[in-house]
Amino acid sequence: MLEVADLNSFYGGAHILHGVSLDVGQGEVVALLGRNGAGKSTTMKSIMGLVRPRSGTVTFEGQAIAGRPAYRIARLGLGYVPEDRRIFTDLTVLENLEVGCRAARGTQRAWTSERLFELFPNLAERRSARAGAMSGGEQQMLTIARTLMGNPKLVLLDEPSEGISPLIVEQMAFAIRQLKAEGIAILLSEQNLHFAMLIADRVQVIEGGRIQFHGTAEELSNQPKLREELLAL
Amino acid sequence: MGFFVAQLLTGMANAGALFLVASGLSIIFGVTRVVNFAHGSFYMLGAYIAYTLMSHLPGAIGFWSAIVLTGIAVGLIGLLVEIVVLKPIYRAPELYQLVATFGVILVIQDAVRYVWGPEDLIGPRAPGFGGVVSIFGQSVPTYDLVLIALSLVVLAALWALFNKTRIGVLIRAATQDREMVGALGVNQTLLFSAVFFLGSFLAGIGGAAQLPKGGADLTMDLNIITAVFVVVVIGGMGSIFGAFMASVLISELQVFGVQLLPQSTLVLMFVVMAIILVVRPQGLFGRPDAAVYQGNSAMVPKPLKPLGLAGKLVGAAILAFLAFIPFYGDNFLVFLFSDIIIFCLFAASLHFILGIGGMASFGHAAYYGGGAYVAALLVQYLQTPMELAIVLAPLGAGFLALIIGWFCVRLSGVYFAMLTLAFAQVVWSVVVQWTSLTGGTDGILNIWPSDWASDPSVFYYVVLVVGAGGIIALRAMAHTPFGYALRGTRDSSLRAEAIGIHVRRVQLLAFAFAGAMAGLAGALFVFAKGSIFPTELAISRSFDALIMVFFGGVQSLGGPIAGASVFTLLQDWLSDFTYWQLLLGVAIIAVVILSPRGITGLLETTGRIGDRFRTATGSNAEVAGKEAR
C-alpha cells in the first residue's frame, strides 16, 4: 500500500535520512522504532510532503507522491498525526475536527464526530471546550481524531505515547487496535517497544537515518543485543 | 448631553472605515503572515473606483451596488497582487515580503494618479441619506448613522463567517498553524488567495463607504495605514473584535481630542497606543500565544566576517572614487553623490538594528529627521556653528532613540515594528503641530554650512569624511563583543539571556546607537540642503530606509550601502519620468521576486550561476568533443 524506497532527506545541509526503505501493507500496523534523533519524524514528514526528500521514491497505492505538496498527499488518503500534536489551541474540539473533515472514499464507513467520541469518550465531554485548555493526553486523542475525520486509509502516527500517562497510553493502544480492526493501515513511530509490541504486526528499527532491522516484534525481542544497541532498552 | 452624543456618533462613524480596513489587514496577516503595507492603497483604490461607479450607477440601488461592486473589484485587485507579487515569495522570510508591498504602494499611487488625475475628488451624497437628523437637539448627518450600522453589520458578518462556516474555521486554524492545515488536506494556496480577496474586499468597501463623507485623494493610502496599524496593534493582531473596539477608541479619541486639546490630536492616538502596548503588549484582545510572529527563523544568516584584504581594497577604491568626484564632476554630480553618502549612512544605521539586531524599525526617520531638526534648531535659535551642530545632532537623536527604544524593546517582531512606527509618527506630529518652534510644515530655512565649508565641493568632503566615518563606526561596532551579543539576541533571545546577556539593554543600546548614526546623517542632510521640512520625519522616509536596506540585502554589511546607492540613483534617474513611482515600484517588486536576498544576494547568485554556467559549458564542450570523435 505504501512503499518507501531509498529515501534521502536533508535539513539544510544536514543529511538526515540515508536511503530509508520501508513498506506498509493493506490494513497492516508497522512500527518504526528508534531513539530520539534516529530519523523517525523526518521519515514521517518526508512521506507526508512536509519535508521534501532529495531523492528516493514514495509510492502510495501505486502513485508516486514524493515531492507533492502535503495537502495533495493528504487528499489521497494519507493521514498524519504529528509528534508535537499541533492541535489548533484557539479552536474548540469540534472545530478542530471540522478542520480535518474530508469526505469518505468508496465503501469506507465515514468517521463522524459522534463515532470518534465513542472511540475517545474523554473528548465527548469536552466537545465545546477550547482545545488549548485540555490535558496532554486529551490533546493527543484529539489529534488522532482530527486526522481520522479525513477518513484516511493509512495513518502516520508519530510517537503517540510520548509524554502521556500510562493510563492514557493503554487507552491509546486500545484505540489504535480499533482502527486496525476498521481496516486502517498504520505506520507508527515509537521509542517504547512495549507499546509497539502491543499493536504492531511488524517492526522496523531506524538508527542514524538508516533502517537497521526489519522483522516481527518477536524476532526483535529475541535479539536482546540488537535491542540494546538500537533502542537502548 | 446632546453635544456629547453627537460627538460620540461622529466618532463611531469615523471608526467604520477604519474598522473595515483594519479587520482586512488583520485577517491577511493572521493567515499569510504578510504585513500588507499596501492595504491602505486598497482602501484608496476603493474610494476612487467607487467614485467612478457611483457616477455611472444612478439612484439608491446604484449607490449601494456600487459599494458592493467596488469591494469585489478591489478584492480582485488584491487577489492579483497576491498571485503576482506575493505568491512567488511566500517562502522568503517575512520581512522581505514587506518590501514587495512597498513596491505595490508606489505602483498603485501612480496608477491612481494616471487614471483619476491628481485632484482631490468629492464624493456624491448617498441617495436618501444626504440630510441630517436631530438627536438631543444636535444635528447628526444621517449618513454617519448609516456608516455606524454598516460597521456593525460587517462585524456581525465576520463573526458569523469565522465561527459558523467551514472556511472561517479553516482560516482560524491556518492563523495558528498553516502547515498542519495543509497536512490535513486543505489547499493552502487557495486559502491564502481567499483570505487576500476577503481582506482586500473589506478595504475596498471601507474606501467606498466613506466616499460620501471624506472624498478621495492621493494621500489616503499612507494616512489610513498608520491609523490601521495603531488599531490592529491596540486591538490585538488577529482579533476582529479587538480591531472594532480599537477603531472606535481611536476615532472617539480624535473627535473628543479636537475639543479638548486641538493642538495634539495626532499625538494623542500614538500616546494611547504606547501606553496600551507597555501595559499589555499583545493588545487589548490579542492572545500572547496567538499570532506568533516567527521572525526570520526560516533564514539562517551567514556569519559576518570582517573585511578581508580584497574587501578592504574595494572599500578603499570606492572611497578614492568618491574623493575624486569634485574634480571631474559638476555641481550636480557633487550634490547627487553627497545625497548618496548621506543615505548610505542612514541605511547603514537602520541595517545595524535590523540586520544585525533583528529589530525591524519602521520609524527610523524619526532619528534621521530628529537629528536634522536638532541641528536646524540649534542653528536657528542658538546660532550654533555647524561643527558643533553636527556633533550635537547625533547626541540628540541618540537620546530620542534611547527614550523611544526603552518602550519598544519590550516588544518584538511586528509589534516592535508598529510601535517604532507609532513613535515616529508622534515625533512627526509634534514637529508639524508645534508651529511656533519648528515652523510646522513651512520648515526651517537658511541653515547653511560654516563659511569655510560653504563651497559645495568642500562641504562634499565634510559629508564624505563624516559619512564614511559613521559607516565604518557601524561596521566596526558589529565586530565588537557588543556586536556579537547583539547578533546573539537576534538569533535567540532566550539563549542569549541564558548565557547572561541582558537582552533588552543590548537591544536598547544598539537602538540608541543606530538612532545617533541616523541623526548624524540627518545633520549632514540639513546642511547639504540648507533647510529642513517635516517630510524628513515622515513615514515615507522610514519606508525609504527600509527599502534601501532590503533592496541591498539584509544579510551583508555591504547591503545597505549598495541598496542606498542603487535606490538613490534609480530615484534620481526615474524622477525625469512623470510616473517614476510606478517604475520604481515595479523595480522594487522585481528585485524582491528575482532575489529575495536583495542586490548583494543577486550578485552572489549570479556569480554562482556564472560558475555553474562555465562548468556546464565546459562539460558540454567535452561531450561535444567526444561526439565529434
Side-chain angles (χ1 to χ4, degrees):
Chain A
M1 187 175 200
L2 176 75
E3 289 99 37
V4 175
D6 205 22
L7 209 58
N8 284 281
S9 285
F10 291 72
Y11 279 135
H15 196 165
I16 308 293
L17 299 186
H18 301 262
V20 167
S21 299
L22 54 84
D23 68 293
V24 182
Q26 200 82 38
E28 199 182 16
V29 177
V30 175
L32 183 62
L33 296 169
R35 283 192 278 244
N36 272 339
K40 301 186 299 294
S41 292
T42 310
T43 305
M44 297 275 189
K45 287 181 178 169
S46 301
I47 294 170
M48 200 59 211
L50 298 173
V51 168
R52 205 190 176 97
R54 197 166 293 180
S55 68
T57 56
V58 181
T59 316
F60 182 64
E61 295 194 310
Q63 291 196 59
I65 57 169
R68 288 198 198 177
Y71 81 93
R72 290 188 49 199
I73 293 175
R75 286 179 181 185
L76 291 174
L78 215 65
Y80 172 59
V81 178
E83 178 186 13
D84 39 4
R85 302 184 192 124
R86 296 171 73 169
I87 55 158
F88 306 113
T89 48
D90 282 351
L91 276 56
T92 65
V93 168
L94 277 172
E95 284 172 337
N96 266 277
L97 297 181
E98 169 68 33
V99 177
C101 184
R102 304 214 73 84
R105 296 163 192 80
T107 56
Q108 221 176 3
R109 192 171 146 218
W111 287 99
T112 61
S113 43
E114 288 316 312
R115 268 188 76 203
L116 286 165
F117 289 148
E118 278 168 30
L119 190 63
F120 300 109
N122 303 33
L123 292 182
E125 305 154 24
R126 323 253 354 220
R127 62 183 75 197
S128 299
R130 204 169 69 83
M134 302 198 304
S135 73
E138 287 168 331
Q139 292 191 2
Q140 184 64 59
M141 291 176 190
L142 178 58
T143 29
I144 297 175
R146 183 181 64 181
T147 301
L148 290 174
M149 283 298 281
N151 294 301
K153 290 179 268 190
L154 187 151
V155 175
L156 307 172
L157 261 179
D158 201 355
E159 294 208 40
S161 74
E162 196 198 19
I164 286 175
S165 74
L167 193 72
I168 307 274
V169 169
E170 291 284 310
Q171 288 184 31
M172 204 71 75
F174 174 76
I176 292 170
R177 276 200 298 265
Q178 293 279 104
L179 300 187
K180 195 188 168 194
E182 293 267 343
I184 298 175
I186 292 168
L187 178 63
L188 166 82
S189 93
E190 261 308 325
Q191 299 196 43
N192 183 341
L193 181 62
H194 296 287
F195 183 74
M197 285 177 72
L198 284 176
I199 44 186
D201 301 316
R202 282 190 295 130
V203 297
Q204 318 230 13
V205 181
I206 187 169
E207 173 60 33
R210 294 181 174 85
I211 298 287
Q212 308 281 13
F213 171 88
H214 51 96
T216 64
E218 246 171 47
E219 285 166 13
L220 182 63
S221 56
N222 290 337
Q223 300 194 35
K225 197 169 162 235
L226 192 69
R227 247 171 57 193
E228 201 160 304
E229 256 172 43
L230 298 177
L231 298 170
L233 286 172
Chain B
M1 176 66 188
F3 174 75
F4 181 78
V5 172
Q7 293 291 313
L8 201 68
L9 289 173
T10 310
M12 291 209 42
N14 292 346
L18 197 54
F19 163 63
L20 286 170
V21 183
S23 57
L25 182 93
S26 195
I27 294 167
I28 290 179
F29 171 79
V31 176
T32 65
R33 300 280 142 180
V34 173
V35 179
N36 180 25
F37 265 82
H39 211 66
S41 305
F42 294 155
Y43 165 72
M44 180 172 78
L45 266 177
Y48 277 94
I49 292 175
Y51 178 85
T52 302
L53 286 176
M54 284 174 188
S55 56
H56 286 91
L57 302 171
I61 295 172
F63 179 85
W64 294 108
S65 47
I67 290 187
V68 176
L69 287 174
T70 300
I72 294 171
V74 175
L76 290 175
I77 293 171
L79 197 61
L80 186 75
V81 168
E82 196 257 348
I83 291 171
V84 175
V85 179
L86 294 170
K87 195 143 282 177
I89 52 171
Y90 273 135
R91 284 181 180 275
E94 280 119 24
L95 284 170
Y96 293 98
Q97 295 159 353
L98 275 182
V99 192
T101 65
F102 289 149
V104 173
I105 293 180
L106 295 174
V107 171
I108 292 181
Q109 261 281 330
D110 266 4
V112 169
R113 197 194 311 270
Y114 176 77
V115 176
W116 285 279
E119 287 84 29
D120 294 2
L121 303 177
I122 297 166
R125 289 194 168 185
F129 298 102
V132 292
V133 284
S134 179
I135 295 177
F136 293 113
Q138 296 273 331
S139 48
V140 174
T142 334
Y143 193 67
D144 276 8
L145 302 180
V146 173
L147 283 176
I148 296 171
L150 178 70
S151 56
L152 289 174
V153 167
V154 170
L155 178 66
L158 286 176
W159 184 86
L161 175 75
F162 284 118
N163 291 287
K164 299 290 169 200
T165 69
R166 175 167 164 85
I167 177 121
V169 172
L170 292 183
I171 289 174
R172 278 165 59 215
T175 301
Q176 270 199 288
D177 188 343
R178 41 184 175 163
E179 190 186 59
M180 195 59 225
V181 171
L184 289 168
V186 177
N187 185 348
Q188 286 184 54
T189 317
L190 274 182
L191 193 63
F192 279 27
S193 297
V195 158
F196 234 90
F197 177 84
L198 174 65
S200 317
F201 173 85
L202 290 170
I205 296 259
Q210 69 76 51
L211 184 66
K213 194 174 159 76
D217 64 72
L218 286 167
T219 60
M220 289 170 75
D221 52 353
L222 289 186
N223 281 347
I224 197 152
I225 198 73
T226 331
V228 162
F229 281 152
V230 172
V231 162
V232 169
V233 167
I234 290 184
M237 211 87 198
S239 163
I240 301 294
F241 185 68
F244 179 79
M245 292 308 286
S247 303
V248 173
L249 177 68
I250 289 300
S251 305
E252 296 295 355
L253 207 63
Q254 289 194 323
V255 168
F256 286 99
V258 172
Q259 306 298 327
L260 302 170
L261 299 156
Q263 291 307 308
S264 56
T265 46
L266 291 171
V267 184
L268 213 54
M269 168 165 87
F270 297 107
V271 170
V272 169
M273 165 166 159
I275 293 171
I276 288 177
L277 279 187
V278 169
V279 179
R280 210 178 140 78
Q282 71 272 31
L284 292 176
F285 295 90
R287 276 212 200 93
D289 59 334
V292 201
Y293 183 73
Q294 278 136 2
N296 279 347
S297 52
M299 167 186 89
V300 184
K302 268 193 294 184
L304 295 174
K305 285 195 203 115
L307 280 183
L309 184 65
K312 284 195 174 120
L313 286 176
V314 171
I318 293 174
L319 280 179
F321 166 77
L322 290 173
F324 275 106
I325 292 281
F327 290 102
Y328 52 77
D330 50 8
N331 269 356
F332 171 77
L333 212 59
V334 167
F335 286 131
L336 177 63
F337 274 90
S338 143
D339 277 1
I340 290 179
I341 296 165
I342 291 169
F343 282 131
C344 283
L345 177 57
F346 181 29
S349 71
L350 175 62
H351 177 263
F352 186 74
I353 43 174
L354 199 156
I356 300 170
M359 297 177 275
S361 167
F362 283 10
H364 207 53
Y367 317 106
Y368 171 74
Y373 265 97
V374 168
L377 291 171
L378 284 171
V379 174
Q380 173 94 337
Y381 291 99
L382 301 170
Q383 285 75 43
T384 314
M386 174 192 86
E387 300 80 1
L388 190 59
I390 289 182
V391 174
L392 291 178
L395 291 180
F399 185 64
L400 181 68
L402 205 58
I403 298 171
I404 294 178
W406 186 85
F407 292 96
C408 296
V409 296
R410 268 140 232 285
L411 309 177
S412 59
V414 171
Y415 285 85
F416 174 87
M418 307 244 170
L419 193 57
T420 51
L421 179 81
F423 274 113
Q425 288 299 99
V426 173
V427 175
W428 175 81
S429 23
V430 166
V431 168
V432 168
Q433 293 192 327
W434 197 348
T435 327
S436 57
L437 181 75
T438 62
T441 47
D442 294 334
I444 302 173
L445 307 176
N446 293 322
I447 312 294
W448 295 110
S450 303
D451 286 339
W452 63 270
S454 59
D455 182 76
S457 301
V458 177
F459 187 71
Y460 173 80
Y461 285 110
V462 174
V463 171
L464 180 58
V465 170
V466 176
I471 291 170
I472 291 169
L474 283 162
R475 294 187 67 109
M477 194 62 107
H479 295 294
T480 58
F482 177 77
Y484 302 151
L486 184 60
R487 274 185 266 162
T489 65
R490 170 195 68 189
D491 294 339
S492 170
S493 60
L494 268 182
R495 271 173 252 166
E497 194 92 53
I499 58 168
I501 294 173
H502 193 321
V503 170
R504 276 187 192 169
R505 186 188 294 156
V506 168
Q507 289 177 331
L508 179 57
L509 289 176
F511 194 80
F513 180 61
M517 286 296 138
L520 185 62
L524 292 175
F525 176 86
V526 80
F527 287 107
K529 299 290 169 196
S531 57
I532 180 73
F533 299 97
T535 46
E536 298 308 319
L537 290 156
I539 185 169
S540 56
R541 192 63 75 233
S542 294
F543 285 8
D544 283 349
L546 282 167
I547 292 174
M548 289 183 232
V549 170
F550 283 111
F551 213 42
V554 181
Q555 299 199 3
S556 93
L557 287 173
I561 295 166
S565 309
V566 173
F567 183 76
T568 315
L569 285 171
L570 203 61
Q571 214 170 15
D572 179 70
W573 176 60
L574 290 176
S575 58
D576 293 341
F577 298 91
T578 320
Y579 295 102
W580 64 274
Q581 290 195 85
L582 191 126
L583 298 171
L584 185 64
V586 171
I588 290 169
I589 295 169
V591 168
V592 172
I593 292 178
L594 290 177
S595 171
R597 288 188 303 135
I599 298 172
T600 46
L602 192 65
L603 291 177
E604 276 176 36
T605 321
T606 43
R608 239 176 290 131
I609 291 172
D611 292 344
R612 223 177 293 155
F613 183 70
R614 275 189 290 281
T615 49
T617 46
S619 54
N620 279 349
E622 272 172 37
V623 173
K626 272 179 198 162
E627 274 171 2
R629 278 198 294 274

